[in-house]
PDB file of all heavy atoms in Angstrom:
ATOM      1  N   ARG J 107       0.828  -1.199   0.013  1.00  0.00           N
ATOM      2  CA  ARG J 107       0.007  -0.014  -0.027  1.00  0.00           C
ATOM      3  C   ARG J 107       0.869   1.270   0.015  1.00  0.00           C
ATOM      4  O   ARG J 107       0.449   2.268  -0.490  1.00  0.00           O
ATOM      5  CB  ARG J 107      -0.919  -0.016   1.206  1.00  0.00           C
ATOM      6  CG  ARG J 107      -2.069  -1.019   1.055  1.00  0.00           C
ATOM      7  CD  ARG J 107      -2.885  -1.041   2.360  1.00  0.00           C
ATOM      8  NE  ARG J 107      -3.934  -2.073   2.339  1.00  0.00           N
ATOM      9  CZ  ARG J 107      -4.165  -2.932   3.311  1.00  0.00           C
ATOM     10  NH1 ARG J 107      -3.474  -2.812   4.489  1.00  0.00           N
ATOM     11  NH2 ARG J 107      -5.054  -3.854   3.178  1.00  0.00           N
ATOM     12  N   ALA J 108       2.046   1.129   0.539  1.00  0.00           N
ATOM     13  CA  ALA J 108       2.964   2.257   0.593  1.00  0.00           C
ATOM     14  C   ALA J 108       3.861   2.356  -0.666  1.00  0.00           C
ATOM     15  O   ALA J 108       4.762   3.247  -0.722  1.00  0.00           O
ATOM     16  CB  ALA J 108       3.789   2.232   1.881  1.00  0.00           C
ATOM     17  N   GLY J 109       3.704   1.415  -1.579  1.00  0.00           N
ATOM     18  CA  GLY J 109       4.518   1.366  -2.773  1.00  0.00           C
ATOM     19  C   GLY J 109       5.877   0.729  -2.616  1.00  0.00           C
ATOM     20  O   GLY J 109       6.745   0.849  -3.449  1.00  0.00           O
ATOM     21  N   ARG J 110       6.096   0.012  -1.512  1.00  0.00           N
ATOM     22  CA  ARG J 110       7.348  -0.698  -1.228  1.00  0.00           C
ATOM     23  C   ARG J 110       7.203  -2.106  -1.721  1.00  0.00           C
ATOM     24  O   ARG J 110       6.522  -2.910  -1.052  1.00  0.00           O
ATOM     25  CB  ARG J 110       7.739  -0.602   0.230  1.00  0.00           C
ATOM     26  CG  ARG J 110       8.026   0.831   0.690  1.00  0.00           C
ATOM     27  CD  ARG J 110       8.566   0.902   2.140  1.00  0.00           C
ATOM     28  NE  ARG J 110       7.545   0.539   3.106  1.00  0.00           N
ATOM     29  CZ  ARG J 110       6.749   1.481   3.724  1.00  0.00           C
ATOM     30  NH1 ARG J 110       6.797   2.754   3.341  1.00  0.00           N
ATOM     31  NH2 ARG J 110       5.843   1.130   4.602  1.00  0.00           N
ATOM     32  N   THR J 111       7.897  -2.476  -2.752  1.00  0.00           N
ATOM     33  CA  THR J 111       7.684  -3.797  -3.379  1.00  0.00           C
ATOM     34  C   THR J 111       8.856  -4.722  -3.159  1.00  0.00           C
ATOM     35  O   THR J 111       8.803  -5.886  -3.560  1.00  0.00           O
ATOM     36  CB  THR J 111       7.401  -3.674  -4.910  1.00  0.00           C
ATOM     37  OG1 THR J 111       8.501  -2.966  -5.503  1.00  0.00           O
ATOM     38  CG2 THR J 111       6.161  -2.864  -5.082  1.00  0.00           C
ATOM     39  N   GLY J 112       9.983  -4.224  -2.658  1.00  0.00           N
ATOM     40  CA  GLY J 112      11.193  -5.061  -2.458  1.00  0.00           C
ATOM     41  C   GLY J 112      11.046  -5.976  -1.258  1.00  0.00           C
ATOM     42  O   GLY J 112      10.473  -5.531  -0.186  1.00  0.00           O
ATOM     43  N   ILE J 113      11.580  -7.165  -1.298  1.00  0.00           N
ATOM     44  CA  ILE J 113      11.537  -8.081  -0.146  1.00  0.00           C
ATOM     45  C   ILE J 113      12.121  -7.473   1.101  1.00  0.00           C
ATOM     46  O   ILE J 113      11.560  -7.530   2.181  1.00  0.00           O
ATOM     47  CB  ILE J 113      12.275  -9.369  -0.492  1.00  0.00           C
ATOM     48  CG1 ILE J 113      11.427 -10.194  -1.491  1.00  0.00           C
ATOM     49  CG2 ILE J 113      12.481 -10.207   0.757  1.00  0.00           C
ATOM     50  CD1 ILE J 113      10.084 -10.612  -0.992  1.00  0.00           C
ATOM     51  N   ASN J 114      13.260  -6.805   0.962  1.00  0.00           N
ATOM     52  CA  ASN J 114      13.943  -6.300   2.200  1.00  0.00           C
ATOM     53  C   ASN J 114      13.155  -5.096   2.765  1.00  0.00           C
ATOM     54  O   ASN J 114      13.204  -4.917   3.980  1.00  0.00           O
ATOM     55  CB  ASN J 114      15.367  -5.912   1.882  1.00  0.00           C
ATOM     56  CG  ASN J 114      16.190  -7.147   1.490  1.00  0.00           C
ATOM     57  OD1 ASN J 114      15.791  -8.298   1.828  1.00  0.00           O
ATOM     58  ND2 ASN J 114      17.335  -6.962   0.827  1.00  0.00           N
ATOM     59  N   ASP J 115      12.435  -4.333   2.011  1.00  0.00           N
ATOM     60  CA  ASP J 115      11.537  -3.307   2.519  1.00  0.00           C
ATOM     61  C   ASP J 115      10.444  -3.958   3.286  1.00  0.00           C
ATOM     62  O   ASP J 115      10.029  -3.495   4.383  1.00  0.00           O
ATOM     63  CB  ASP J 115      10.974  -2.462   1.413  1.00  0.00           C
ATOM     64  CG  ASP J 115      12.052  -1.554   0.787  1.00  0.00           C
ATOM     65  OD1 ASP J 115      13.035  -1.155   1.476  1.00  0.00           O
ATOM     66  OD2 ASP J 115      11.925  -1.243  -0.403  1.00  0.00           O
ATOM     67  N   MET J 116       9.941  -5.080   2.735  1.00  0.00           N
ATOM     68  CA  MET J 116       8.842  -5.801   3.425  1.00  0.00           C
ATOM     69  C   MET J 116       9.322  -6.403   4.718  1.00  0.00           C
ATOM     70  O   MET J 116       8.574  -6.498   5.717  1.00  0.00           O
ATOM     71  CB  MET J 116       8.279  -6.864   2.481  1.00  0.00           C
ATOM     72  CG  MET J 116       7.593  -6.331   1.238  1.00  0.00           C
ATOM     73  SD  MET J 116       7.033  -7.669   0.139  1.00  0.00           S
ATOM     74  CE  MET J 116       6.160  -6.615  -1.079  1.00  0.00           C
ATOM     75  N   VAL J 117      10.605  -6.869   4.771  1.00  0.00           N
ATOM     76  CA  VAL J 117      11.154  -7.402   5.975  1.00  0.00           C
ATOM     77  C   VAL J 117      11.161  -6.361   7.073  1.00  0.00           C
ATOM     78  O   VAL J 117      10.805  -6.607   8.221  1.00  0.00           O
ATOM     79  CB  VAL J 117      12.567  -7.927   5.739  1.00  0.00           C
ATOM     80  CG1 VAL J 117      13.352  -8.123   7.030  1.00  0.00           C
ATOM     81  CG2 VAL J 117      12.567  -9.210   4.948  1.00  0.00           C
ATOM     82  N   VAL J 118      11.548  -5.113   6.717  1.00  0.00           N
ATOM     83  CA  VAL J 118      11.535  -4.064   7.710  1.00  0.00           C
ATOM     84  C   VAL J 118      10.137  -3.735   8.185  1.00  0.00           C
ATOM     85  O   VAL J 118       9.881  -3.599   9.423  1.00  0.00           O
ATOM     86  CB  VAL J 118      12.209  -2.759   7.153  1.00  0.00           C
ATOM     87  CG1 VAL J 118      12.004  -1.597   8.045  1.00  0.00           C
ATOM     88  CG2 VAL J 118      13.693  -3.029   6.839  1.00  0.00           C
ATOM     89  N   ASP J 119       9.169  -3.645   7.274  1.00  0.00           N
ATOM     90  CA  ASP J 119       7.783  -3.421   7.653  1.00  0.00           C
ATOM     91  C   ASP J 119       7.259  -4.575   8.532  1.00  0.00           C
ATOM     92  O   ASP J 119       6.551  -4.306   9.466  1.00  0.00           O
ATOM     93  CB  ASP J 119       6.945  -3.280   6.406  1.00  0.00           C
ATOM     94  CG  ASP J 119       7.086  -1.885   5.755  1.00  0.00           C
ATOM     95  OD1 ASP J 119       7.427  -0.919   6.456  1.00  0.00           O
ATOM     96  OD2 ASP J 119       6.912  -1.793   4.505  1.00  0.00           O
ATOM     97  N   HIS J 120       7.640  -5.785   8.190  1.00  0.00           N
ATOM     98  CA  HIS J 120       7.153  -6.924   8.992  1.00  0.00           C
ATOM     99  C   HIS J 120       7.696  -6.866  10.412  1.00  0.00           C
ATOM    100  O   HIS J 120       6.948  -7.152  11.373  1.00  0.00           O
ATOM    101  CB  HIS J 120       7.571  -8.204   8.277  1.00  0.00           C
ATOM    102  CG  HIS J 120       7.018  -9.416   8.951  1.00  0.00           C
ATOM    103  ND1 HIS J 120       5.704  -9.497   9.471  1.00  0.00           N
ATOM    104  CD2 HIS J 120       7.579 -10.642   9.264  1.00  0.00           C
ATOM    105  CE1 HIS J 120       5.517 -10.701  10.015  1.00  0.00           C
ATOM    106  NE2 HIS J 120       6.644 -11.432   9.900  1.00  0.00           N
ATOM    107  N   ALA J 121       8.974  -6.513  10.567  1.00  0.00           N
ATOM    108  CA  ALA J 121       9.484  -6.365  11.925  1.00  0.00           C
ATOM    109  C   ALA J 121       8.720  -5.229  12.676  1.00  0.00           C
ATOM    110  O   ALA J 121       8.366  -5.428  13.927  1.00  0.00           O
ATOM    111  CB  ALA J 121      10.969  -6.055  11.888  1.00  0.00           C
ATOM    112  N   ARG J 122       8.542  -4.138  12.095  1.00  0.00           N
ATOM    113  CA  ARG J 122       7.788  -3.034  12.727  1.00  0.00           C
ATOM    114  C   ARG J 122       6.333  -3.465  13.029  1.00  0.00           C
ATOM    115  O   ARG J 122       5.865  -3.204  14.116  1.00  0.00           O
ATOM    116  CB  ARG J 122       7.743  -1.869  11.769  1.00  0.00           C
ATOM    117  CG  ARG J 122       9.023  -1.137  11.544  1.00  0.00           C
ATOM    118  CD  ARG J 122       8.861  -0.029  10.459  1.00  0.00           C
ATOM    119  NE  ARG J 122      10.073   0.725  10.245  1.00  0.00           N
ATOM    120  CZ  ARG J 122      10.442   1.347   9.148  1.00  0.00           C
ATOM    121  NH1 ARG J 122       9.585   1.210   8.074  1.00  0.00           N
ATOM    122  NH2 ARG J 122      11.493   2.018   9.059  1.00  0.00           N
ATOM    123  N   GLU J 123       5.691  -4.081  12.127  1.00  0.00           N
ATOM    124  CA  GLU J 123       4.272  -4.471  12.301  1.00  0.00           C
ATOM    125  C   GLU J 123       4.167  -5.519  13.414  1.00  0.00           C
ATOM    126  O   GLU J 123       3.264  -5.478  14.234  1.00  0.00           O
ATOM    127  CB  GLU J 123       3.693  -4.985  10.984  1.00  0.00           C
ATOM    128  CG  GLU J 123       3.502  -3.930   9.954  1.00  0.00           C
ATOM    129  CD  GLU J 123       2.496  -2.897  10.341  1.00  0.00           C
ATOM    130  OE1 GLU J 123       1.381  -3.279  10.779  1.00  0.00           O
ATOM    131  OE2 GLU J 123       2.779  -1.676  10.302  1.00  0.00           O
ATOM    132  N   THR J 124       5.120  -6.469  13.426  1.00  0.00           N
ATOM    133  CA  THR J 124       5.086  -7.534  14.439  1.00  0.00           C
ATOM    134  C   THR J 124       5.249  -6.894  15.833  1.00  0.00           C
ATOM    135  O   THR J 124       4.565  -7.319  16.769  1.00  0.00           O
ATOM    136  CB  THR J 124       6.180  -8.570  14.205  1.00  0.00           C
ATOM    137  OG1 THR J 124       6.015  -9.112  12.887  1.00  0.00           O
ATOM    138  CG2 THR J 124       6.098  -9.719  15.216  1.00  0.00           C
ATOM    139  N   ALA J 125       6.198  -5.968  15.982  1.00  0.00           N
ATOM    140  CA  ALA J 125       6.399  -5.317  17.266  1.00  0.00           C
ATOM    141  C   ALA J 125       5.111  -4.621  17.714  1.00  0.00           C
ATOM    142  O   ALA J 125       4.729  -4.684  18.899  1.00  0.00           O
ATOM    143  CB  ALA J 125       7.571  -4.320  17.169  1.00  0.00           C
ATOM    144  N   GLY J 126       4.453  -3.948  16.793  1.00  0.00           N
ATOM    145  CA  GLY J 126       3.221  -3.225  17.125  1.00  0.00           C
ATOM    146  C   GLY J 126       2.127  -4.222  17.486  1.00  0.00           C
ATOM    147  O   GLY J 126       1.366  -3.981  18.468  1.00  0.00           O
ATOM    148  N   ARG J 127       2.020  -5.315  16.754  1.00  0.00           N
ATOM    149  CA  ARG J 127       0.957  -6.301  17.041  1.00  0.00           C
ATOM    150  C   ARG J 127       1.184  -6.992  18.350  1.00  0.00           C
ATOM    151  O   ARG J 127       0.255  -7.421  19.019  1.00  0.00           O
ATOM    152  CB  ARG J 127       0.844  -7.297  15.857  1.00  0.00           C
ATOM    153  CG  ARG J 127       0.123  -6.744  14.659  1.00  0.00           C
ATOM    154  CD  ARG J 127      -0.348  -7.851  13.749  1.00  0.00           C
ATOM    155  NE  ARG J 127       0.733  -8.590  13.118  1.00  0.00           N
ATOM    156  CZ  ARG J 127       1.327  -8.236  11.981  1.00  0.00           C
ATOM    157  NH1 ARG J 127       0.897  -7.187  11.340  1.00  0.00           N
ATOM    158  NH2 ARG J 127       2.314  -8.949  11.536  1.00  0.00           N
ATOM    159  N   LEU J 128       2.441  -7.139  18.713  1.00  0.00           N
ATOM    160  CA  LEU J 128       2.794  -7.765  20.012  1.00  0.00           C
ATOM    161  C   LEU J 128       2.182  -6.990  21.165  1.00  0.00           C
ATOM    162  O   LEU J 128       1.528  -7.558  22.045  1.00  0.00           O
ATOM    163  CB  LEU J 128       4.267  -7.861  20.141  1.00  0.00           C
ATOM    164  CG  LEU J 128       4.861  -8.335  21.463  1.00  0.00           C
ATOM    165  CD1 LEU J 128       4.289  -9.687  21.804  1.00  0.00           C
ATOM    166  CD2 LEU J 128       6.351  -8.403  21.362  1.00  0.00           C
ATOM    167  N   LEU J 129       2.283  -5.657  21.070  1.00  0.00           N
ATOM    168  CA  LEU J 129       1.706  -4.817  22.165  1.00  0.00           C
ATOM    169  C   LEU J 129       0.137  -4.895  22.071  1.00  0.00           C
ATOM    170  O   LEU J 129      -0.499  -4.847  23.152  1.00  0.00           O
ATOM    171  CB  LEU J 129       2.203  -3.383  22.029  1.00  0.00           C
ATOM    172  CG  LEU J 129       3.480  -3.031  22.800  1.00  0.00           C
ATOM    173  CD1 LEU J 129       4.693  -3.733  22.216  1.00  0.00           C
ATOM    174  CD2 LEU J 129       3.685  -1.564  22.880  1.00  0.00           C
ATOM    175  N   GLU J 130      -0.373  -4.917  20.867  1.00  0.00           N
ATOM    176  CA  GLU J 130      -1.833  -4.985  20.705  1.00  0.00           C
ATOM    177  C   GLU J 130      -2.372  -6.290  21.293  1.00  0.00           C
ATOM    178  O   GLU J 130      -3.513  -6.357  21.796  1.00  0.00           O
ATOM    179  CB  GLU J 130      -2.229  -4.805  19.290  1.00  0.00           C
ATOM    180  CG  GLU J 130      -1.902  -3.441  18.640  1.00  0.00           C
ATOM    181  CD  GLU J 130      -2.106  -3.370  17.203  1.00  0.00           C
ATOM    182  OE1 GLU J 130      -2.472  -4.449  16.602  1.00  0.00           O
ATOM    183  OE2 GLU J 130      -1.922  -2.305  16.587  1.00  0.00           O
ATOM    184  N   SER J 131      -1.599  -7.366  21.136  1.00  0.00           N
ATOM    185  CA  SER J 131      -2.110  -8.705  21.466  1.00  0.00           C
ATOM    186  C   SER J 131      -1.899  -9.042  22.911  1.00  0.00           C
ATOM    187  O   SER J 131      -2.667  -9.910  23.455  1.00  0.00           O
ATOM    188  CB  SER J 131      -1.377  -9.738  20.619  1.00  0.00           C
ATOM    189  OG  SER J 131      -1.547  -9.497  19.253  1.00  0.00           O
ATOM    190  N   SER J 132      -0.930  -8.427  23.576  1.00  0.00           N
ATOM    191  CA  SER J 132      -0.617  -8.817  24.946  1.00  0.00           C
ATOM    192  C   SER J 132      -0.775  -7.663  25.918  1.00  0.00           C
ATOM    193  O   SER J 132       0.157  -6.776  25.986  1.00  0.00           O
ATOM    194  CB  SER J 132       0.812  -9.363  25.079  1.00  0.00           C
ATOM    195  OG  SER J 132       1.245  -9.540  26.363  1.00  0.00           O
ATOM    196  N   PRO J 133      -1.818  -7.631  26.690  1.00  0.00           N
ATOM    197  CA  PRO J 133      -1.926  -6.626  27.728  1.00  0.00           C
ATOM    198  C   PRO J 133      -0.802  -6.656  28.756  1.00  0.00           C
ATOM    199  O   PRO J 133      -0.446  -5.615  29.312  1.00  0.00           O
ATOM    200  CB  PRO J 133      -3.326  -6.950  28.335  1.00  0.00           C
ATOM    201  CG  PRO J 133      -4.022  -7.711  27.353  1.00  0.00           C
ATOM    202  CD  PRO J 133      -3.026  -8.503  26.610  1.00  0.00           C
ATOM    203  N   VAL J 134      -0.239  -7.780  28.998  1.00  0.00           N
ATOM    204  CA  VAL J 134       0.843  -7.967  29.917  1.00  0.00           C
ATOM    205  C   VAL J 134       2.039  -7.169  29.478  1.00  0.00           C
ATOM    206  O   VAL J 134       2.669  -6.373  30.216  1.00  0.00           O
ATOM    207  CB  VAL J 134       1.198  -9.402  30.188  1.00  0.00           C
ATOM    208  CG1 VAL J 134       2.512  -9.553  30.951  1.00  0.00           C
ATOM    209  CG2 VAL J 134       0.073 -10.185  30.870  1.00  0.00           C
ATOM    210  N   ILE J 135       2.425  -7.371  28.210  1.00  0.00           N
ATOM    211  CA  ILE J 135       3.612  -6.673  27.642  1.00  0.00           C
ATOM    212  C   ILE J 135       3.278  -5.187  27.477  1.00  0.00           C
ATOM    213  O   ILE J 135       4.124  -4.348  27.752  1.00  0.00           O
ATOM    214  CB  ILE J 135       4.035  -7.328  26.341  1.00  0.00           C
ATOM    215  CG1 ILE J 135       4.486  -8.794  26.602  1.00  0.00           C
ATOM    216  CG2 ILE J 135       5.152  -6.539  25.668  1.00  0.00           C
ATOM    217  CD1 ILE J 135       4.745  -9.615  25.387  1.00  0.00           C
ATOM    218  N   ALA J 136       2.064  -4.845  27.000  1.00  0.00           N
ATOM    219  CA  ALA J 136       1.734  -3.446  26.798  1.00  0.00           C
ATOM    220  C   ALA J 136       1.833  -2.692  28.185  1.00  0.00           C
ATOM    221  O   ALA J 136       2.284  -1.548  28.236  1.00  0.00           O
ATOM    222  CB  ALA J 136       0.321  -3.355  26.308  1.00  0.00           C
ATOM    223  N   ALA J 137       1.406  -3.320  29.245  1.00  0.00           N
ATOM    224  CA  ALA J 137       1.458  -2.696  30.583  1.00  0.00           C
ATOM    225  C   ALA J 137       2.907  -2.448  31.000  1.00  0.00           C
ATOM    226  O   ALA J 137       3.283  -1.415  31.561  1.00  0.00           O
ATOM    227  CB  ALA J 137       0.700  -3.526  31.585  1.00  0.00           C
ATOM    228  N   ALA J 138       3.767  -3.444  30.707  1.00  0.00           N
ATOM    229  CA  ALA J 138       5.144  -3.329  31.069  1.00  0.00           C
ATOM    230  C   ALA J 138       5.869  -2.164  30.308  1.00  0.00           C
ATOM    231  O   ALA J 138       6.739  -1.507  30.810  1.00  0.00           O
ATOM    232  CB  ALA J 138       5.858  -4.667  30.814  1.00  0.00           C
ATOM    233  N   VAL J 139       5.458  -2.068  29.004  1.00  0.00           N
ATOM    234  CA  VAL J 139       5.995  -0.960  28.274  1.00  0.00           C
ATOM    235  C   VAL J 139       5.473   0.410  28.773  1.00  0.00           C
ATOM    236  O   VAL J 139       6.254   1.355  28.891  1.00  0.00           O
ATOM    237  CB  VAL J 139       5.620  -1.100  26.748  1.00  0.00           C
ATOM    238  CG1 VAL J 139       5.986   0.133  25.958  1.00  0.00           C
ATOM    239  CG2 VAL J 139       6.368  -2.362  26.167  1.00  0.00           C
ATOM    240  N   HIS J 140       4.221   0.387  29.124  1.00  0.00           N
ATOM    241  CA  HIS J 140       3.627   1.631  29.598  1.00  0.00           C
ATOM    242  C   HIS J 140       4.265   2.125  30.925  1.00  0.00           C
ATOM    243  O   HIS J 140       4.455   3.342  31.120  1.00  0.00           O
ATOM    244  CB  HIS J 140       2.097   1.443  29.852  1.00  0.00           C
ATOM    245  CG  HIS J 140       1.370   2.642  30.336  1.00  0.00           C
ATOM    246  ND1 HIS J 140       1.137   3.748  29.555  1.00  0.00           N
ATOM    247  CD2 HIS J 140       0.876   2.919  31.567  1.00  0.00           C
ATOM    248  CE1 HIS J 140       0.491   4.621  30.263  1.00  0.00           C
ATOM    249  NE2 HIS J 140       0.285   4.182  31.498  1.00  0.00           N
ATOM    250  N   ASP J 141       4.593   1.191  31.837  1.00  0.00           N
ATOM    251  CA  ASP J 141       5.216   1.592  33.078  1.00  0.00           C
ATOM    252  C   ASP J 141       6.709   1.741  33.018  1.00  0.00           C
ATOM    253  O   ASP J 141       7.386   2.008  33.980  1.00  0.00           O
ATOM    254  CB  ASP J 141       4.778   0.652  34.241  1.00  0.00           C
ATOM    255  CG  ASP J 141       5.389  -0.760  34.137  1.00  0.00           C
ATOM    256  OD1 ASP J 141       6.425  -0.962  33.464  1.00  0.00           O
ATOM    257  OD2 ASP J 141       4.847  -1.676  34.722  1.00  0.00           O
ATOM    258  N   GLY J 142       7.323   1.510  31.802  1.00  0.00           N
ATOM    259  CA  GLY J 142       8.695   1.738  31.620  1.00  0.00           C
ATOM    260  C   GLY J 142       9.662   0.599  32.020  1.00  0.00           C
ATOM    261  O   GLY J 142      10.876   0.750  31.897  1.00  0.00           O
ATOM    262  N   SER J 143       9.088  -0.499  32.453  1.00  0.00           N
ATOM    263  CA  SER J 143       9.972  -1.599  32.851  1.00  0.00           C
ATOM    264  C   SER J 143      10.452  -2.461  31.686  1.00  0.00           C
ATOM    265  O   SER J 143      11.424  -3.199  31.853  1.00  0.00           O
ATOM    266  CB  SER J 143       9.189  -2.523  33.881  1.00  0.00           C
ATOM    267  OG  SER J 143       8.039  -3.090  33.290  1.00  0.00           O
ATOM    268  N   THR J 144       9.776  -2.356  30.578  1.00  0.00           N
ATOM    269  CA  THR J 144      10.145  -3.086  29.349  1.00  0.00           C
ATOM    270  C   THR J 144       9.996  -2.247  28.149  1.00  0.00           C
ATOM    271  O   THR J 144       9.136  -1.373  28.058  1.00  0.00           O
ATOM    272  CB  THR J 144       9.219  -4.356  29.198  1.00  0.00           C
ATOM    273  OG1 THR J 144       9.389  -5.214  30.338  1.00  0.00           O
ATOM    274  CG2 THR J 144       9.585  -5.177  27.987  1.00  0.00           C
ATOM    275  N   ALA J 145      10.832  -2.526  27.142  1.00  0.00           N
ATOM    276  CA  ALA J 145      10.637  -1.888  25.791  1.00  0.00           C
ATOM    277  C   ALA J 145      10.547  -2.994  24.784  1.00  0.00           C
ATOM    278  O   ALA J 145      11.039  -4.130  24.983  1.00  0.00           O
ATOM    279  CB  ALA J 145      11.830  -1.007  25.468  1.00  0.00           C
ATOM    280  N   VAL J 146       9.930  -2.694  23.704  1.00  0.00           N
ATOM    281  CA  VAL J 146       9.801  -3.604  22.565  1.00  0.00           C
ATOM    282  C   VAL J 146      10.414  -2.919  21.348  1.00  0.00           C
ATOM    283  O   VAL J 146       9.946  -1.765  20.999  1.00  0.00           O
ATOM    284  CB  VAL J 146       8.358  -4.016  22.270  1.00  0.00           C
ATOM    285  CG1 VAL J 146       8.254  -4.881  21.024  1.00  0.00           C
ATOM    286  CG2 VAL J 146       7.762  -4.717  23.493  1.00  0.00           C
ATOM    287  N   VAL J 147      11.308  -3.568  20.674  1.00  0.00           N
ATOM    288  CA  VAL J 147      11.979  -2.965  19.457  1.00  0.00           C
ATOM    289  C   VAL J 147      11.836  -3.914  18.245  1.00  0.00           C
ATOM    290  O   VAL J 147      11.830  -5.110  18.444  1.00  0.00           O
ATOM    291  CB  VAL J 147      13.451  -2.615  19.736  1.00  0.00           C
ATOM    292  CG1 VAL J 147      13.526  -1.595  20.867  1.00  0.00           C
ATOM    293  CG2 VAL J 147      14.278  -3.841  19.999  1.00  0.00           C
ATOM    294  N   GLY J 148      11.776  -3.360  17.078  1.00  0.00           N
ATOM    295  CA  GLY J 148      11.896  -4.050  15.848  1.00  0.00           C
ATOM    296  C   GLY J 148      13.291  -3.864  15.254  1.00  0.00           C
ATOM    297  O   GLY J 148      13.829  -2.743  15.240  1.00  0.00           O
ATOM    298  N   VAL J 149      13.818  -4.964  14.826  1.00  0.00           N
ATOM    299  CA  VAL J 149      15.246  -4.949  14.320  1.00  0.00           C
ATOM    300  C   VAL J 149      15.284  -5.693  12.996  1.00  0.00           C
ATOM    301  O   VAL J 149      14.657  -6.764  12.809  1.00  0.00           O
ATOM    302  CB  VAL J 149      16.185  -5.557  15.348  1.00  0.00           C
ATOM    303  CG1 VAL J 149      17.606  -5.750  14.735  1.00  0.00           C
ATOM    304  CG2 VAL J 149      16.246  -4.711  16.602  1.00  0.00           C
ATOM    305  N   ALA J 150      16.024  -5.137  12.016  1.00  0.00           N
ATOM    306  CA  ALA J 150      16.257  -5.802  10.751  1.00  0.00           C
ATOM    307  C   ALA J 150      17.742  -6.137  10.625  1.00  0.00           C
ATOM    308  O   ALA J 150      18.608  -5.264  10.823  1.00  0.00           O
ATOM    309  CB  ALA J 150      15.842  -4.905   9.585  1.00  0.00           C
ATOM    310  N   TYR J 151      17.987  -7.391  10.344  1.00  0.00           N
ATOM    311  CA  TYR J 151      19.413  -7.912  10.287  1.00  0.00           C
ATOM    312  C   TYR J 151      19.820  -8.082   8.818  1.00  0.00           C
ATOM    313  O   TYR J 151      19.097  -8.619   8.021  1.00  0.00           O
ATOM    314  CB  TYR J 151      19.462  -9.235  10.994  1.00  0.00           C
ATOM    315  CG  TYR J 151      20.829  -9.880  10.948  1.00  0.00           C
ATOM    316  CD1 TYR J 151      21.867  -9.386  11.730  1.00  0.00           C
ATOM    317  CD2 TYR J 151      21.028 -11.029  10.148  1.00  0.00           C
ATOM    318  CE1 TYR J 151      23.120 -10.028  11.667  1.00  0.00           C
ATOM    319  CE2 TYR J 151      22.304 -11.654  10.122  1.00  0.00           C
ATOM    320  CZ  TYR J 151      23.312 -11.186  10.922  1.00  0.00           C
ATOM    321  OH  TYR J 151      24.526 -11.823  10.823  1.00  0.00           O
ATOM    322  N   ARG J 152      21.085  -7.564   8.512  1.00  0.00           N
ATOM    323  CA  ARG J 152      21.611  -7.674   7.223  1.00  0.00           C
ATOM    324  C   ARG J 152      22.515  -8.894   7.139  1.00  0.00           C
ATOM    325  O   ARG J 152      23.532  -8.959   7.841  1.00  0.00           O
ATOM    326  CB  ARG J 152      22.394  -6.407   6.892  1.00  0.00           C
ATOM    327  CG  ARG J 152      21.585  -5.142   6.930  1.00  0.00           C
ATOM    328  CD  ARG J 152      20.638  -4.994   5.781  1.00  0.00           C
ATOM    329  NE  ARG J 152      21.346  -4.902   4.474  1.00  0.00           N
ATOM    330  CZ  ARG J 152      20.750  -4.740   3.345  1.00  0.00           C
ATOM    331  NH1 ARG J 152      19.394  -4.596   3.261  1.00  0.00           N
ATOM    332  NH2 ARG J 152      21.416  -4.692   2.219  1.00  0.00           N
ATOM    333  N   LEU J 153      22.162  -9.890   6.387  1.00  0.00           N
ATOM    334  CA  LEU J 153      22.898 -11.144   6.420  1.00  0.00           C
ATOM    335  C   LEU J 153      24.320 -10.987   5.949  1.00  0.00           C
ATOM    336  O   LEU J 153      25.261 -11.604   6.527  1.00  0.00           O
ATOM    337  CB  LEU J 153      22.204 -12.173   5.425  1.00  0.00           C
ATOM    338  CG  LEU J 153      20.858 -12.652   5.912  1.00  0.00           C
ATOM    339  CD1 LEU J 153      20.184 -13.457   4.764  1.00  0.00           C
ATOM    340  CD2 LEU J 153      20.959 -13.506   7.145  1.00  0.00           C
ATOM    341  N   ASP J 154      24.581 -10.155   4.917  1.00  0.00           N
ATOM    342  CA  ASP J 154      25.955 -10.012   4.447  1.00  0.00           C
ATOM    343  C   ASP J 154      26.825  -9.181   5.375  1.00  0.00           C
ATOM    344  O   ASP J 154      27.961  -9.547   5.712  1.00  0.00           O
ATOM    345  CB  ASP J 154      25.969  -9.348   3.052  1.00  0.00           C
ATOM    346  CG  ASP J 154      27.326  -9.234   2.440  1.00  0.00           C
ATOM    347  OD1 ASP J 154      27.991 -10.290   2.395  1.00  0.00           O
ATOM    348  OD2 ASP J 154      27.722  -8.156   2.003  1.00  0.00           O
TER     349      ASP J 154
END
């Protein structure tokens, strides 16, 4: 939808979206992020 058609662009979006969905899916983790005891990050790894 954003016009990004390359696999590696999709990999970055997938990491971002998964991190966001994790907070949406787990009230336990969302609460830990809200109170500052935990952070959730998305990371893309370059194989080469």
